[in-house]
Amino acid sequence: MSNFKRYDKYKDSGIEWIGEIPEGWEVTKLKYICSITMGQSPKSEEYSREEGGLPFLQGNAEFTELYPHPKIYCDTANKRSKVNDILLSVRAPVGKMNISNRVYGIGRGLCAITAQKVHLKYLWYSMNVSLEELSINSQGSTFEAVTVADVNNLSAIVPPADEQISIANFLDQKTAEIDDLIVDKEKLIELLQEKRQAVITEAVTKGLNPNVKMNDSGIEWIGEIPEGWEVKKLKYVTKFAYGDSLPVDEREAGDIDVFGSNGKIGTHAVSNTSSPVVIVGRKGSYGKVTYVEKECFAIDTTYYIDNRCTTSNIKWLYYLLTILELDKNSQDTGVPGLSREYAYNKYVFLPPIDKQISIANFLDRKTAEIDSLVSEIQEQIQKLREYRQSLIFEAVTGKIDVRDYAAIS
């Protein structure tokens, strides 16, 4: 923060995580500068999902970036926010915030904080910092939660009124600039991910030689395929083997990775696959495809494919499966899941084995290049977010003096 000057004089705040604050500033408790309303949930039969009436917020599931997006309505809710209240989640995850842009009924997972002796937007930024205290106080075996006393006794840093406005204006501008940079980088990641998928699709469906002779596949929606390739249903290319049950309390100490439908979930002493292996989500994150270099244990929410299931190249098969959109159609009426028969009846492009290996090697190189770029951009985004939070902390605790900056901006 070397670009910003400091205040002339400081004093000890009396709170370790705050440190020194400028002379003329105070540290108090939230209950002395705000009123706090804890939510209460009506009976479930009093809710409605039809728009109209009083919008009701059960918790932070309805939160967006700044203002909530209600999904249900309840006119009998007797705990309500006011316009411009800060809505704070008091159940897991504790500390999520939104601003109330109208009157809402609020459930027991939320509280509404009405600024009384402090500028609203300054309070918003200040609470972004002081909420760290809530994570220390959160408790509960089923879910994390904090009490009204925890919220009431939250530390609040209070500068003079005119400085609160200057700090809020400064942070509005600076955080908006940072947020715009983050959005631009996130869009770049989306473009790179789209490019990655396009590269895979092109290689898997057309091969690596743009000048190869193309023949009619005999299937209208597929069109032409490279000479020497076949079109077959997936069931003639590979088997999907069922994973096995392995409850957590039955796992033995070892270095074999255990995989569920959404990725690695632990370790075990033995494997049930050979290597390499492709894991396909069956339940939960159904259709998600994961390539694993080493032998592993695939649990019963997955299918797996190793060299006992196919004569095709495993890595090529992994890339093929990623373009089949197996996650787009659940065939189960209960828990969403991937039907093996649904997958088996998909038509796929089948090149000779040497072409499969060449395609897999090519895609390993190209996807690694793109993944490296994505990783770099993700690191940049993380640094921007850390800088954003650091800037808020420095401004609301008075470590930097932004009064002149805000006045000329």
Side-chain angles (χ1 to χ4, degrees), residues 93-224:
V94 170
K96 294 291 184 180
M97 294 196 304
N98 255 196
I99 290 179
S100 177
N101 55 341
R102 57 163 298 172
V103 174
Y104 293 97
I106 53 173
R108 62 172 59 93
L110 298 175
C111 72
I113 301 170
T114 306
Q116 293 178 321
K117 299 179 181 179
V118 64
H119 184 267
L120 171 67
K121 206 59 183 290
Y122 168 80
L123 177 65
W124 168 266
Y125 287 118
S126 178
M127 288 188 64
N128 269 275
V129 173
S130 57
L131 283 175
E132 181 63 26
E133 291 182 350
L134 287 185
S135 64
I136 298 171
N137 293 328
S138 61
Q139 54 188 319
S141 56
T142 305
F143 46 77
E144 290 185 342
V146 292
T147 67
V148 64
D150 293 325
V151 180
N152 274 324
N153 291 318
L154 200 63
S155 297
I157 309 163
V158 186
D162 57 340
E163 292 183 50
Q164 294 176 30
I165 296 171
S166 295
I167 292 168
N169 290 340
F170 166 79
L171 288 174
D172 276 349
Q173 178 179 326
K174 299 303 290 185
T175 57
E177 291 171 1
I178 296 169
D179 291 343
D180 286 345
L181 287 174
I182 290 174
V183 168
D184 289 343
K185 291 182 182 297
E186 288 174 337
K187 288 179 180 177
L188 181 55
I189 287 177
E190 289 179 10
L191 291 173
L192 286 169
Q193 297 288 20
E194 290 173 4
K195 178 181 178 181
R196 186 184 194 275
Q197 193 63 24
V199 169
I200 294 173
T201 301
E202 180 72 13
V204 169
T205 61
K206 302 299 181 185
L208 305 180
N209 182 0
N211 301 315
V212 70
K213 182 181 177 181
M214 304 293 285
N215 294 329
D216 183 16
S217 68
I219 298 176
E220 183 177 356
W221 67 267
I222 291 180
E224 293 186 327

Side-chain angles (χ1 to χ4, degrees), residues 12 39 219 255 282 309 320:
D12 184 14
I219 298 176
D255 58 0
R282 185 175 73 88
C309 303
L320 170 69

Side-chain angles (χ1 to χ4, degrees), residues 231-364:
V231 173
K232 290 188 175 184
K233 286 189 174 181
L234 187 61
K235 62 184 173 182
Y236 300 119
V237 176
T238 185
K239 173 187 174 184
F240 280 22
Y242 281 100
D244 298 307
S245 175
L246 184 63
V248 174
D249 58 4
E250 294 181 12
R251 295 175 195 172
E252 301 174 12
D255 58 0
I256 300 296
D257 291 337
V258 177
F259 277 82
S261 61
N262 202 34
K264 181 181 173 181
I265 57 172
T267 58
H268 187 45
V270 297
S271 68
N272 62 351
T273 76
S274 62
S275 63
V277 58
V278 176
I279 307 294
V280 182
R282 185 175 73 88
K283 295 288 186 183
S285 297
Y286 67 91
K288 180 176 179 178
V289 185
T290 304
Y291 177 81
V292 185
E293 192 69 50
K294 303 183 298 181
E295 64 182 15
C296 65
F297 194 103
I299 68 168
D300 54 1
T301 61
T302 72
Y303 303 112
Y304 69 85
I305 301 168
D306 59 16
N307 56 19
R308 296 169 294 181
C309 303
T310 183
T311 58
S312 295
N313 178 267
I314 298 293
K315 196 58 173 293
W316 168 82
L317 191 55
Y318 159 73
Y319 286 119
L320 170 69
L321 293 174
T322 64
I323 72 168
L324 294 186
E325 297 186 331
L326 297 177
D327 60 341
K328 300 299 184 186
N329 192 316
S330 173
Q331 300 295 305
D332 292 347
T333 56
V335 178
L338 171 65
S339 161
R340 191 163 62 166
E341 290 306 311
Y342 166 77
Y344 278 171
N345 284 313
K346 279 186 168 287
Y347 284 99
V348 297
F349 307 78
L350 183 64
I353 189 67
D354 61 326
K355 301 296 185 184
Q356 294 177 25
I357 295 171
S358 296
I359 290 169
N361 290 338
F362 167 79
L363 289 175
D364 281 350

